[in-house]
Amino acid sequence: MTDNVAPAGITAEFDVSEALVGMRLDAALAGALEIPRTRASSWIRDGHVRVVQRGNELKIGKSHKLSADETVIVNAPAPRDLADIQPEKVDGFDIVYCDDDIVVVDKPAGVAAHPSHGWHGPTVLSALLGEGVTVATSGAAERQGIVHRLDVGTSGLMVVARSERAYTELKRAFKDRTVEKVYHTLVQGLPDPLMGTIDAPIGRHPGHEWKFAVIEDGRSSITHYETLESFGSASLVEVHLETGRTHQIRVHFSSLRHPCCGDLTYGADPRFSAELGLTRQWLHAHRLGFTHPGTGEHIKFESPYPQDLDYALEALRTGNITRA
């Protein structure tokens, strides 16, 4: 194996040796480059790792089993550390619950879950540091303590691990789908049927790297929904996520031609969005329930709608929006 570590990032290329044959790609990377397995997995997920077999690049995931005729190529960003994240006070950021194992926050729109390439705004981690709250050291360096995420433009509840035990238990709970994740969203039009399940695979949009879409070879994605109120031009819908893919709710409802109001990225009507006063998707992580990793007690939290979402909903309820 030959590798080169430079300030700009981490590059490496190696042929699969006999000792690595049959090993999972994430485990092999972790051992070969002496990095945490979670970081290796995130590199694979984010497209920083390629596997070439006899000149042909393979489609891979973290569980890809290595073969003797393969070459692994890594071109990854330099790792970040919590020491690089500056504490900051963030308007609208609220700590709902905190103990030695976990912290539950109510995230406002405009805040990312963690630092990422190209994002220069506030994050949940920087806001927690600004409140003097430390988190677990488990996870990729820039995502320490993060066990699930919300889009920048989505508000609502998130849980962050503060202890290593909590990180392990919560990651397992999300993987096993035992966490109750309930969202409320305002979608254009009236879903038909009013209650149902959207079972459609999601992957990267073939024409837009930064978007996702329902595609045949995407990852299994399941969304359960129920219409709570209908206003003709829009409907308030409660969503229970069985899986947790990036942009899942936004992509699924867009695929039904009922995009989230305000979500211009996925086809919302810009004029209607403006009439509702929306500058982001009407999507809120309303309820979060899970087994406490320390006590074993089932705990549940609810978050009220923030002002911008409440304004749009009340405009529909009072008839100030009359579009059909």
Side-chain angles (χ1 to χ4, degrees):
M1 179 186 75
T2 60
D3 59 21
N4 175 52
V5 179
I10 296 175
T11 61
E13 181 175 332
F14 59 91
D15 295 327
V16 176
S17 65
E18 184 177 347
L20 297 179
V21 171
M23 185 179 292
R24 281 172 55 118
L25 177 57
D26 56 352
L29 271 182
L33 301 183
E34 298 183 348
I35 60 173
R37 189 161 171 173
T38 51
R39 185 177 302 167
S41 297
S42 67
W43 285 354
I44 297 165
R45 183 193 63 237
D46 295 340
H48 301 308
V49 180
R50 299 161 51 216
V51 175
V52 177
Q53 183 182 55
R54 294 190 290 274
N56 297 315
E57 186 169 338
L58 304 179
K59 183 177 180 179
I60 59 169
K62 64 181 180 181
S63 60
H64 172 78
K65 298 294 181 63
L66 294 172
S67 299
D69 55 355
E70 294 175 348
T71 299
V72 179
I73 303 167
V74 181
N75 185 6
R80 299 183 62 171
D81 190 87
L82 278 177
D84 299 327
I85 302 173
Q86 297 301 311
E88 57 185 316
K89 294 290 185 179
V90 177
D91 290 342
F93 183 85
D94 186 31
I95 294 178
V96 177
Y97 175 85
C98 185
D99 63 24
D100 290 341
D101 286 306
I102 62 171
V103 56
V104 177
V105 305
D106 201 341
K107 184 189 84 67
V111 176
H114 56 74
S116 61
H117 179 70
W119 176 252
H120 303 290
T123 67
V124 168
L125 292 180
S126 65
L128 283 173
L129 290 176
E131 297 295 333
V133 177
T134 57
V135 299
T137 58
S138 297
E142 73 280 8
R143 302 176 186 176
Q144 291 178 4
I146 298 293
V147 293
H148 71 125
R149 293 175 289 177
L150 294 179
D151 297 342
V152 172
T154 299
S155 53
L157 296 167
M158 279 184 61
V159 58
V160 180
R162 300 196 65 206
S163 69
E164 309 312 312
R165 169 182 63 181
Y167 182 87
T168 300
E169 292 299 321
L170 287 172
K171 287 292 283 188
R172 181 181 296 116
F174 277 99
K175 181 179 180 181
D176 293 343
R177 304 178 184 178
T178 61
V179 177
E180 181 186 17
K181 298 175 290 182
V182 180
Y183 295 74
H184 282 186
T185 182
L186 191 69
V187 302
Q188 291 184 192
L190 180 64
D192 182 17
L194 298 178
M195 175 190 298
T197 296
I198 309 169
D199 186 351
I202 291 176
R204 290 202 175 272
H205 194 292
H208 302 277
E209 184 179 351
W210 41 272
K211 288 177 62 175
F212 292 80
V214 170
I215 58 175
E216 186 175 353
D217 60 347
R219 300 176 69 189
S220 173
S221 307
I222 302 173
T223 301
H224 307 286
Y225 73 91
E226 177 184 357
T227 303
L228 301 178
E229 292 184 68
S230 178
F231 311 100
S233 55
S235 301
L236 179 65
V237 177
E238 180 167 288
V239 176
H240 294 249
L241 287 185
E242 186 169 323
T243 55
R245 309 303 178 207
T246 302
H247 297 181
Q248 179 172 321
I249 295 171
R250 301 165 64 190
V251 171
H252 269 171
F253 279 97
S254 177
S255 73
L256 298 182
R257 299 187 179 180
H258 296 292
C260 299
C261 295
D263 191 1
L264 305 188
T265 299
Y266 287 104
D269 182 338
R271 180 177 297 179
F272 187 39
S273 300
E275 290 176 355
L276 291 172
L278 292 171
T279 57
R280 51 105 168 189
Q281 65 265 17
W282 204 115
L283 180 59
H284 186 66
H286 176 61
R287 190 159 68 245
L288 183 65
F290 53 91
T291 299
H292 191 288
T295 66
E297 175 190 3
H298 185 77
I299 54 178
K300 186 181 294 186
F301 303 91
E302 285 197 1
S303 167
Y305 304 148
Q307 186 175 17
D308 61 334
L309 303 190
D310 197 47
Y311 173 88
L313 187 57
E314 286 305 309
L316 288 165
R317 284 172 173 164
T318 57
N320 291 338
I321 300 297
T322 56
R323 297 177 73 249

